[in-house]
Amino acid sequence: MIDSARLKTVFRTIASAMDTHRDRLCALDGVIGDADHGIAMTLGYSAARDAVDALDDTCDPTALLNTAAKSFLNAVGASSGPLYATAFMRAAACVKGKPVVEDADFVAMLQAMAQGMVDRGKAAVGEKTMIDAWLPASNAARTSWDETANLCESLSAAVRAANAGMEATASMVATKGRSARLGERSLGHVDPGAASAVVAIEAMREALCC
Ligand code: ADP
Ligand code: MG
């Protein structure tokens, strides 16, 4: 059972992890993009953390996640801003009317987030974006949940799938986003958005399972 106080901890943990990985994410983006991805993710998650921390612990998860969406969007000018804002809004809709997030809801939220990113960015798996980590990760969480009904097992499965998806982006040619203009020259490099997806999902597991 994940109440709003624990959701705040999730945002705190992700913001701290993004800060740790900021320079690495900027460096990855420097190779095939404009070198700002670590800054975008740090700004976005710090803003979301601060905004949700200001809410009362008794607020419902939908209000908390919508607040995260709005603050993330306002803080980030890069294309990852609307993608994550949409993801958080879909997560919010997923638990509408519920006083707390049950473990099963969290798995459903991951799937809703990934689908929100797909709907917003119109990227499919194989186009060298954050979708290549988020979609397999959320699907792996679902498969594991259906087998184990254990959130930590499910989040571990999600982390493994996100990592595999991220590594696979190195052998993809970018066809969406800023790096698409590089065409074949994007080959051989990991996508920064897929790398930050791994950071976010690992931090979720750390926040909820340690
Ligand atoms: P920008 O490209 O505007 O500088 P960021 O650097 O913050 O934005 O984010 C870049 C990442 O966004 C890429 O590595 C990729 O994973 C992701 N991305 C870009 N376009 C899309 C899209 N249409 N759908 C999903 N993800 C995308
Ligand atoms: Mg960038």
Side-chain angles (χ1 to χ4, degrees):
M1 193 272 286
I2 302 155
D3 59 9
S4 286
R6 285 188 83 200
L7 283 177
K8 289 182 181 184
T9 305
V10 172
F11 278 100
R12 258 184 241 129
T13 310
I14 301 176
S16 161
M18 287 302 169
D19 201 38
T20 301
H21 290 273
R22 185 189 56 204
D23 292 351
R24 181 176 67 86
L25 295 171
C26 281
L28 288 173
D29 198 27
V31 180
I32 60 169
D34 58 355
D36 69 346
H37 188 61
I39 294 165
M41 295 303 281
T42 303
L43 280 177
Y45 273 106
S46 302
R49 174 202 58 207
D50 292 347
V52 303
D53 266 343
L55 299 173
D56 200 284
D57 277 358
T58 58
C59 83
D60 61 75
T62 294
L64 186 146
L65 290 161
N66 277 327
T67 297
K70 199 172 158 193
S71 51
F72 201 105
L73 187 64
N74 288 341
V76 179
S79 53
S80 47
L83 290 163
Y84 271 94
T86 304
F88 296 140
M89 280 191 285
R90 293 292 181 87
C94 194
V95 289
K96 196 166 167 50
K98 299 200 173 200
V100 295
V101 176
E102 302 291 346
D103 288 0
D105 298 328
F106 198 87
V107 173
M109 269 170 46
L110 289 176
Q111 291 197 285
M113 287 177 71
Q115 190 57 47
M117 290 170 170
V118 169
D119 293 345
R120 180 78 207 193
K122 306 275 183 274
V125 164
E127 293 196 277
K128 200 180 181 89
T129 69
M130 58 178 74
I131 300 305
D132 289 299
W134 271 106
L135 209 59
S138 64
N139 288 337
R142 161 62 53 197
T143 303
S144 171
W145 177 263
D146 289 345
E147 285 166 8
T148 67
N150 181 308
L151 181 59
C152 292
E153 293 275 340
S154 305
L155 286 172
S156 290
V159 167
R160 285 193 297 273
N163 264 304
M166 171 193 72
E167 277 162 23
T169 63
S171 47
M172 294 174 190
V173 173
T175 48
K176 284 281 188 312
R178 199 178 292 279
S179 53
R181 68 188 68 171
L182 290 181
E184 296 278 328
R185 280 181 293 140
S186 66
L187 264 177
H189 309 288
V190 162
D191 175 65
S196 65
V198 171
V199 172
I201 297 164
E202 273 178 351
M204 286 177 181
R205 180 179 60 172
E206 185 192 330
L208 295 173
C209 300
C210 286

